[in-house]
Amino acid sequence: MKILRLEYLKLRKKTRSWLGPILVFWLIMLAYPLTVEFLQDKLEIGFFSVLWIAILISMMLATEDIFIEDYNDGSLEQIMIKNSSFQFLVSMRIVIYWLMIGVPISGLSFFFSLGTTEEIFLSLSIFPLALISSYIFLNLFVLGNALSLNKGSLLGALVTMPLALPVLIVLGKSVISIQLGINFLEFILLLLGCLSIIMIIVPVIVSYIIKAHLE
Amino acid sequence: MIKKFIHQFASPKTYLFQVNRFYPYIFYISLIIYTFSLIWGLLFTPQDFVQGNSFRIIYLHVPASFLSQSLYVAMAFASITYLVWRVKLAAYLIIAIAPVGAMTTFVALISGSLWGIPTWGTWWQWDARITSTLILFIMYLGLISLHNSFSNYEKADKLLSWLVIVGAVNIPIIKKSVDWWSTLHQSASITLTDKPSIDPSMFYPLIGSIIGFFGLIICLVLISSKHQILIREKTKSWIKDYV
């Protein structure tokens, strides 16, 4: 709990780190209607694709400086020496980032979906999908950033982005299943299953990767 | 015991000498098998009832697709070997396999596109099998970029190994994509458990082409790994004697 609180305070101080991705998400979703005609059916065609990609990009931006400051000022090294469970710290940091960035974005996704489709059930179904997908993307980009810790986040995004693409495919299929009223819960369970594996494995791998950087 | 075995037989020096010993045999045997299978498949196999002559691209497409995934699996095994037993040769093999894997995946994508024009009426479809293979290709490029971005080889090897292991999740997705999603791409004609759905007159040259292509790609990996060893072990005294 102490670590969670500490991580929360650290992120809260870095306004740009948590507010920036939310604003970028907001801007992408606002820009979308401007690129197509303001007709309901026209807007609905590409809305969900833009939504998932906006979440993906926001999560990529959110993890941009997740470790770099601590790495540069040497506190990452100190944390690693002091803290026996570094992976726990990594997972707590991901949780805080998700709570402060992923959850608001998921909430916004609901409102944007409601505004575009005017379907409450569809929008309510989008909310858990956005919650789960934002957590998965966050984990993947944290992995990428750990890999390219001192080489810039672009390289990290390049190497982990392909892993996010199967999730995008599943999200696309989920929306179709919601619209057709079939198997929606199975998609949620599939994503939750992936998430449960990712949220255990990624912090462990990230801690090993950071150790490799610090050695 | 496994550790002792690996360390004894996987030293770069022993490996290099063994490669030099076996390379010509592998190369010539594979070349003969592939050429023979290709001639058999292209000239002596009857036309397909539906696809006509265009099906003959399978003698390139299927081996390339098979190898693109197999090479990634080999990289994943090498990564585990490197991270668990710290075998240097395994790290050299990972980065030696990556460009060859990228090349075979590219060949699989291109040959698939060329095959798609007469059979599907389009050279590209965003179907699950093709997209997941494209992801594999991007993964290979990402791995190469990641490794090249570090001047410290040891660090690069460790990071690369972790990424290869994580990226291995894409392999079952590619393999099962035709079963999990309704795709334009056909499901597997050859499986280990069932009788092949392909006619024997096409099946035997296909098996030959897979074996021959496999051997030729192994030769490329061997050359690439030799190159890696020469770069990475250049300060060692035995390399000076070798060169």
Side-chain angles (χ1 to χ4, degrees):
Chain A
M1 208 63 200
K2 200 178 162 187
I3 297 173
L4 206 66
R5 192 178 143 74
L6 187 73
E7 288 300 322
Y8 164 71
L9 290 171
K10 275 167 78 177
L11 182 60
R12 202 183 68 176
K13 274 186 183 174
K14 295 191 283 182
T15 315
R16 195 188 69 89
S17 299
W18 61 269
L19 193 60
I22 297 171
L23 289 177
V24 167
F25 174 80
W26 190 301
L27 283 172
I28 294 172
M29 296 316 293
L30 284 179
Y32 168 65
L34 306 176
T35 60
V36 287
E37 286 182 60
F38 290 97
L39 296 168
Q40 184 74 15
D41 56 335
K42 298 266 183 190
L43 278 175
E44 278 181 35
I45 290 171
F47 171 76
F48 291 105
S49 309
V50 176
L51 178 73
W52 304 133
I53 292 165
I55 293 177
L56 184 81
I57 291 170
S58 307
M59 291 302 121
M60 192 178 94
L61 292 172
T63 54
E64 202 179 1
D65 57 353
I66 191 163
F67 297 121
I68 191 69
E69 280 177 24
D70 289 346
Y71 177 75
N72 286 338
D73 66 16
S75 50
L76 212 54
E77 207 164 355
Q78 285 184 0
I79 293 166
M80 191 159 273
I81 294 164
K82 275 185 189 170
N83 203 324
S84 55
S85 170
F86 189 68
Q87 55 262 43
F88 180 69
L89 182 118
V90 173
S91 51
M92 284 302 108
R93 188 168 285 192
I94 296 171
V95 167
I96 287 297
Y97 269 70
W98 178 69
L99 287 173
M100 286 193 68
I101 304 164
V103 174
I105 280 176
S106 306
L108 285 173
S109 305
F110 165 76
F111 287 111
F112 276 112
S113 172
L114 191 64
T116 309
T117 61
E118 293 175 3
E119 285 181 44
I120 186 83
F121 176 71
L122 180 64
S123 306
L124 279 173
S125 310
I126 290 301
F127 183 63
L129 284 175
L131 280 175
I132 300 167
S133 61
S134 60
Y135 204 105
I136 293 175
F137 293 149
L138 205 55
N139 274 277
L140 289 176
F141 289 122
V142 164
L143 176 72
N145 268 280
L147 283 166
S148 64
L149 193 57
N150 49 359
K151 297 286 171 188
S153 59
L154 193 66
L155 179 69
L158 174 79
V159 295
T160 46
M161 186 84 89
L163 297 171
L165 299 183
V167 181
L168 284 177
I169 296 173
V170 175
L171 289 170
K173 301 282 178 194
S174 315
V175 172
I176 295 168
S177 76
I178 299 166
Q179 285 167 333
L180 296 175
I182 46 165
N183 294 335
F184 165 62
L185 274 175
E186 286 180 21
F187 279 107
I188 292 270
L189 289 174
L190 174 69
L191 285 169
L192 277 174
C194 295
L195 178 64
S196 60
I197 297 167
I198 287 170
M199 66 193 293
I200 294 166
I201 289 175
V202 167
V204 176
I205 294 175
V206 166
S207 65
Y208 278 115
I209 290 168
I210 292 173
K211 272 179 197 165
H213 276 289
L214 295 172
E215 271 169 11
Chain B
M1 192 177 152
I2 297 170
K3 195 176 174 182
K4 194 183 168 190
F5 174 83
I6 291 172
H7 279 284
Q8 198 173 348
F9 292 97
S11 81
K13 187 182 173 183
T14 316
Y15 174 82
L16 203 61
F17 284 103
Q18 294 299 336
V19 165
N20 286 339
R21 201 171 141 202
F22 290 108
Y23 175 81
Y25 300 107
I26 301 171
F27 177 73
Y28 288 114
I29 291 169
S30 308
L31 189 68
I32 290 165
I33 293 173
Y34 192 60
T35 312
F36 177 74
S37 307
L38 217 55
I39 292 169
W40 184 3
L42 293 178
L43 303 177
F44 299 104
T45 311
Q47 275 189 23
D48 183 74
F49 177 66
V50 181
Q51 299 181 40
N53 277 320
S54 68
F55 92 93
R56 294 182 203 279
I57 205 164
I58 55 166
Y59 301 112
L60 177 65
H61 177 69
V62 175
S65 308
F66 173 72
L67 259 295
S68 63
Q69 294 164 48
S70 307
L71 287 173
Y72 199 96
V73 174
M75 279 170 69
F77 276 114
S79 301
I80 293 167
T81 310
Y82 177 66
L83 290 172
V84 176
W85 291 291
R86 300 279 167 202
V87 179
K88 271 194 296 181
L89 182 65
Y92 301 164
L93 279 174
I94 303 167
I95 195 60
I97 293 171
V100 182
M103 190 200 73
T104 46
T105 314
F106 184 70
V107 171
L109 285 168
I110 292 293
S111 56
S113 294
L114 290 174
W115 194 7
I117 297 166
T119 47
W120 298 342
T122 177
W123 64 276
W124 188 262
Q125 262 290 323
W126 289 103
D127 101 334
R129 171 59 70 86
I130 305 168
T131 311
S132 54
T133 307
L134 181 66
I135 292 170
L136 181 68
F137 179 62
I138 301 167
M139 275 298 296
Y140 275 122
L141 296 185
L143 292 169
I144 297 165
S145 331
L146 182 78
H147 196 271
N148 289 346
S149 65
F150 289 94
S151 50
N152 181 341
Y153 283 130
E154 204 180 329
K155 190 193 269 189
D157 292 338
K158 277 183 194 168
L159 300 179
L160 191 71
S161 305
W162 281 114
L163 184 60
V164 168
I165 292 169
V166 173
V169 74
N170 193 32
I171 299 301
I173 294 175
I174 299 175
K175 186 79 192 136
K176 285 284 170 190
S177 57
V178 285
D179 304 320
W180 291 343
W181 289 282
S182 60
T183 57
L184 195 57
H185 195 286
Q186 64 172 75
S187 53
S189 305
I190 308 166
T191 57
L192 287 173
T193 48
D194 299 320
K195 206 180 159 202
S197 58
I198 187 170
D199 189 78
S201 62
M202 299 166 182
F203 175 68
Y204 295 120
L206 180 61
I207 290 295
S209 68
I210 292 173
I211 295 167
F213 196 80
F214 184 83
L216 290 173
I217 291 297
I218 291 295
C219 288
L220 272 179
V221 171
L222 293 178
I223 294 169
S224 179
S225 58
K226 252 174 84 170
H227 177 69
Q228 278 298 320
I229 291 171
L230 292 174
I231 292 171
R232 305 279 284 272
E233 302 273 317
K234 64 185 174 195
T235 52
K236 302 281 167 65
S237 57
W238 68 268
I239 281 283
K240 283 165 193 162
D241 299 336
Y242 174 81
V243 175

